[in-house]
Amino acid sequence: MSRIGLKVIEVPDNVTVTKNGNDITVKGPKGELTRYFDPRITFNQKDGEIQFTRSDENDKALHGTERANLAAMIEGVEKGYIKKLTLVGVGYRAQAQGNKLTLNVGYSHPVVFDVPEGITVKTPSATAIEVEGISKQKVGQFAAEIRDVRPPEPYKGKGIRYEDEYVRRKEGKTGK
């Protein structure tokens, strides 16, 4: 039995959830998100609570996934999501200007990203990046793309890492 899928979603007063066919739209103070939901999972809304039910026992994984996706949409339009990244390395720096993010991370050239629509990028310091938005998927994807430019390496710990990420360090070679 899907335990996540059976959980009830509480809808805050400042958020509205509407269904149009298989598309569910969530509107809140930070914006609006629309997503297609699988027709095998039914959506029931009453008294500020939403519950999903499945028609077949073979759809257990989908049941939990769809419930988690809607819960993430509601949280996104109400509070938003933020991912913080840190640059570790001598001379590593980031700079956000408009809808461009420029990274200098030890390559012979700067790496320039176009910031996707619906996402804002801030650089509070030269070695910190904050990716914000209402879509959990878009924020996480863009943060992962930034991290992939120079993932942290285990010997010196240099690279781009999430703020709360632990990089396991290895001992280097020893000479005789």
Side-chain angles (χ1 to χ4, degrees), residues 20-34:
N20 183 12
N22 289 330
D23 292 334
I24 296 178
T25 303
V26 180
K27 292 180 187 173
K30 292 210 174 244
E32 177 181 332
L33 291 172
T34 301

Side-chain angles (χ1 to χ4, degrees), residues 74-85:
I74 291 171
E75 186 177 337
V77 297
E78 184 186 21
K79 300 174 188 167
Y81 288 100
I82 186 166
K83 288 269 188 185
K84 296 181 180 182
L85 297 127

Side-chain angles (χ1 to χ4, degrees), residues 77-99:
V77 297
E78 184 186 21
K79 300 174 188 167
Y81 288 100
I82 186 166
K83 288 269 188 185
K84 296 181 180 182
L85 297 127
T86 307
L87 282 70
V88 178
V90 176
Y92 286 14
R93 62 185 180 275
Q95 183 178 18
Q97 290 178 329
N99 64 345

Side-chain angles (χ1 to χ4, degrees), residues 51-115:
Q51 191 165 15
F52 285 98
T53 54
R54 61 181 178 268
S55 58
D56 188 10
E57 281 300 309
N58 295 328
D59 298 329
K60 289 180 186 177
L62 183 63
H63 187 205
T65 301
E66 298 289 40
R67 186 248 173 232
N69 286 336
L70 184 65
M73 288 169 63
I74 291 171
E75 186 177 337
V77 297
E78 184 186 21
K79 300 174 188 167
Y81 288 100
I82 186 166
K83 288 269 188 185
K84 296 181 180 182
L85 297 127
T86 307
L87 282 70
V88 178
V90 176
Y92 286 14
R93 62 185 180 275
Q95 183 178 18
Q97 290 178 329
N99 64 345
K100 299 256 188 229
L101 175 67
T102 306
L103 302 174
N104 293 312
V105 287
Y107 295 122
S108 61
H109 60 283
V111 179
V112 180
F113 281 102
D114 288 327
V115 179

Side-chain angles (χ1 to χ4, degrees), residues 86-90 92 127 150 156-161:
T86 307
L87 282 70
V88 178
V90 176
Y92 286 14
T127 59
R150 180 73 84 171
K156 292 184 180 177
K158 293 168 52 171
I160 302 172
R161 63 177 80 167

